[in-house]
Amino acid sequence: MNATRVWRSAAVIPGDGGRRSRRGFAYQDAVSLLACLDMHEGKYIQVSWENLEDVQCETPTGPLYKQVKTQEGGQERYSIAKVCKAEKVGNPHSSILGKLFTGKPLTEGTRFSLVMNEVPQKNLLCFTKDSPPCENRPAEKKEIASKLSGLKLPDGRGIDWCIDRFEVEVRPRSIDDIEAVAKSALEPYVKEVLKQTPLTTELEDILIALLGRIERDARKPVVTVWSENDFAEVLKSCVRKVSRVSETGELEPLESLSSKLRPTGVTAEEASRMADMMTRYRRKYRSSVGQTHEDYDTLADEIYAICTEVSAQRRIGLVAPGAEAYNTTLARVREISAVANGAVSPATAYAVLSDITARCQNRYADAS
């Protein structure tokens, strides 16, 4: 993971407590995730958050600084006057745009974005991406320049230079809505890792895992900077953790199951049939909830313990490798109380065994 310390003012270092109790930060996490998904599409080179701005996206031509502003319903909609209003009287640097335009290097390719969850008033709405360029809205540009008079900018830049590189990005109003957008954008990448369409609950859990990772990183005193490869690895890790698949998804385990069963004398046709059973079990496991999910985990733990014990006995010569090690494992799986009393079918238990054999270092003979 690329984690580098970058200059930033103390004001932007996140606090230690209750970050998700504050609505704006939860919304900001979703905006950060959407930026990462855009990076996954090749739009950005790197993405960071709580850096020099709420979200910072590096492009081939320079940085895009995104400041996220959310409002509850019933509040006055954002306007030029509101985003230029100084929090400290007479100090334009304390305004929303003052903070967005300052406190960071302004290289030639720098751009600025104000992300909001409400449609702003008309004089600010004209700065959205699909609106005419700045030269076609001189009155609004002049109003911003006038209200931010006295703003001192780095690198010899002027206020007009910043305004020409500024846009407004209007996102869905509620956290649920923006997370729904993120979930929709996330689905094809999850499908790519799983090599099958994710379940609705599964996709929701992966989304929560990713947002949780962004939230935790935002708390750190060291800024986390993700490249496209970094994000891809984090995404794969979350998918694998939630869905219980191997390092390469669903395809390689089928091949590795066959290779691990080969020393036992199991035929290719039998191994293929067991791979089908394993795939069906994985689907059932991933869609299970509550007590059923816990029961599957308990069964898997018991079978894993048996595999570990038989492997240990094989390595000290108490159990012969190959067919005997496999038959001993099957026999002990059948002796599990839930299998012996009929609560769990042997087919399910053997499917779990196949899953463990494929995913873990469970072998019936050491590689020669």
Side-chain angles (χ1 to χ4, degrees):
M1 193 65 62
N2 288 330
T4 54
R5 184 174 292 280
V6 182
W7 174 90
R8 57 183 182 175
S9 68
V12 300
I13 296 177
D16 291 332
R19 190 169 178 277
R20 274 204 175 271
S21 66
R22 297 174 59 191
R23 179 183 188 280
F25 279 122
Y27 195 96
Q28 183 178 313
D29 290 343
V31 172
S32 300
L33 176 56
L34 285 171
C36 290
L37 290 167
D38 284 341
M39 176 174 62
H40 211 51
E41 288 282 346
K43 189 173 181 180
Y44 307 126
I45 298 171
Q46 291 181 331
V47 172
S48 59
W49 46 96
E50 299 293 358
N51 191 348
L52 300 179
E53 199 44 84
D54 291 341
V55 185
Q56 183 172 328
C57 307
E58 297 295 333
T59 75
T61 57
L64 167 63
Y65 298 111
K66 293 191 175 194
Q67 188 175 133
V68 182
K69 292 295 177 185
T70 60
Q71 292 193 123
E72 299 285 358
Q75 292 177 286
E76 178 189 358
R77 290 188 299 157
Y78 280 109
S79 63
I80 287 177
K82 189 166 183 176
V83 298
C84 294
K85 183 179 180 180
E87 292 181 6
K88 299 179 181 178
V89 178
N91 182 3
H93 295 80
S94 65
S95 65
I96 291 173
L97 286 190
K99 293 175 183 177
L100 180 59
F101 293 158
T102 60
K104 50 188 74 78
L106 302 183
T107 57
E108 186 56 38
T110 297
R111 300 194 65 83
F112 310 93
S113 177
L114 192 58
V115 183
M116 53 186 62
N117 71 325
E118 295 275 3
V119 176
Q121 293 187 29
K122 185 177 180 181
N123 64 358
L124 192 57
L125 184 62
C126 68
F127 286 92
T128 53
K129 188 174 182 179
D130 296 330
S131 297
C134 272
E135 56 266 26
N136 295 336
R137 46 179 185 260
E140 290 82 3
K141 182 177 176 180
K142 183 177 180 180
E143 183 180 357
I144 293 176
S146 175
K147 291 184 180 299
L148 294 182
S149 177
L151 190 69
K152 291 183 174 61
L153 297 165
D155 302 321
R157 303 301 184 186
I159 187 62
D160 286 347
W161 185 92
C162 292
I163 299 171
D164 286 341
R165 289 156 178 77
F166 165 68
E167 73 176 34
V168 170
E169 182 180 346
V170 181
R171 285 293 189 174
R173 185 171 179 273
S174 72
I175 294 172
D176 288 343
D177 288 340
I178 195 168
E179 288 186 353
V181 172
K183 189 159 57 175
S184 177
L186 188 61
E187 183 172 4
Y189 303 115
V190 174
K191 184 176 181 179
E192 183 179 332
V193 176
L194 287 177
K195 298 181 173 61
Q196 59 182 290
T197 302
L199 304 168
T200 301
T201 53
E202 188 173 33
L203 191 59
E204 180 76 20
D205 287 343
I206 293 166
L207 174 70
I208 291 170
L210 285 168
L211 291 173
R213 177 61 183 271
I214 290 172
E215 175 190 6
R216 290 192 298 275
D217 282 355
R219 292 176 181 269
K220 296 177 180 178
V222 176
V223 174
T224 298
V225 182
W226 282 357
S227 68
E228 194 280 331
N229 287 336
D230 292 331
F231 176 68
E233 286 305 310
V234 171
L235 173 58
K236 289 177 184 176
S237 176
C238 289
V239 172
R240 290 166 186 154
K241 184 175 181 180
V242 168
S243 306
R244 286 185 64 183
V245 297
S246 76
E247 287 296 305
T248 52
E250 291 282 294
L251 297 185
E252 185 175 333
L254 305 188
E255 179 182 343
S256 92
L257 177 62
S258 296
S259 65
K260 289 177 181 179
L261 289 176
R262 197 170 296 125
T264 71
V266 171
T267 67
E269 183 179 355
E270 289 172 325
S272 177
R273 176 63 177 165
M274 295 180 71
D276 289 340
M277 292 167 59
M278 177 183 71
T279 300
R280 288 196 297 273
Y281 155 71
R282 285 178 174 177
R283 192 74 178 179
K284 288 178 181 177
Y285 174 84
R286 288 163 48 211
S287 61
S288 65
V289 295
Q291 188 60 49
T292 301
H293 197 82
E294 292 182 19
D295 290 344
Y296 276 136
D297 282 338
T298 299
L299 178 63
D301 288 343
E302 289 188 66
I303 293 176
Y304 182 81
I306 290 170
C307 292
T308 301
E309 183 179 353
V310 172
S311 293
Q313 291 175 341
R314 175 176 59 79
R315 290 191 174 101
I316 63 173
L318 294 179
V319 176
E324 183 179 335
Y326 184 49
N327 185 60
T328 300
T329 304
L330 291 176
R332 293 188 185 177
V333 166
R334 288 194 301 271
E335 292 170 359
I336 293 173
S337 59
V339 180
N341 66 24
V344 174
S345 71
T348 297
Y350 293 159
V352 175
L353 173 62
S354 295
D355 180 52
I356 291 171
T357 300
R359 289 190 301 106
C360 306
Q361 295 302 315
N362 176 42
R363 296 181 182 274
Y364 301 101
D366 289 328
S368 57

